[in-house]
């Protein structure tokens, strides 16, 4: 199955994120070994983008939350823990005096 954002095909997760954001992920996260000059230029560009699109952080957060909500079982494989009453009493008392 192929995934497209607009007319562009997303070939990898990084492609998908870049196409969805409209900017490369490295712009926001940086890259290993970047110089101080490169970092300053990257941060300047990020500031310019945020000035032009002030809702970008909210939009990205909303999309991330929707992806997590739609894929929680697959992403996190969450299994609820059931605690016994004795375990709860022990935790409240700091592990002292709990009956088995």
């Amino acid at each position: 199955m192929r995934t497209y954002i607009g007319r562009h095909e997303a070939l990898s997760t990084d492609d998908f994120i870049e196409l969805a954001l409209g900017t490369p992920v490295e712009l926001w996260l940086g890259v290993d070994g970047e110089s101080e000059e490169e970092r300053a230029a990257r941060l300047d560009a990020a500031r310019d983008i945020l000035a032009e699109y002030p809702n970008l952080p909210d939009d990205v957060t909303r999309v991330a939350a929707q992806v997590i909500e739609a894929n929680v079982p697959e992403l996190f494989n969450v299994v609820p823990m059931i605690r016994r009453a004795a375990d709860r009493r022990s935790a409240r008392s700091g592990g002292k005096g709990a009956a088995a």
Side-chain angles (χ1 to χ4, degrees), residues 15-76:
D15 286 348
F16 182 81
I17 293 169
E18 184 173 333
L19 290 166
L21 289 175
T23 62
V25 175
E26 294 81 11
L27 174 69
W28 307 103
L29 303 179
V31 294
D32 289 336
E34 73 181 353
S35 69
E36 285 300 317
E37 186 176 293
E38 291 168 327
R39 182 176 189 273
R42 178 177 58 79
L43 293 177
D44 283 344
R47 277 190 287 276
D48 289 346
I49 290 169
L50 289 174
E52 190 171 335
Y53 301 100
N55 293 331
L56 182 62
D58 292 337
D59 294 344
V60 170
T61 302
R62 184 175 33 263
V63 169
Q66 290 169 346
V67 168
I68 291 168
E69 186 176 71
N71 296 290
V72 166
E74 295 82 18
L75 289 176
F76 300 107

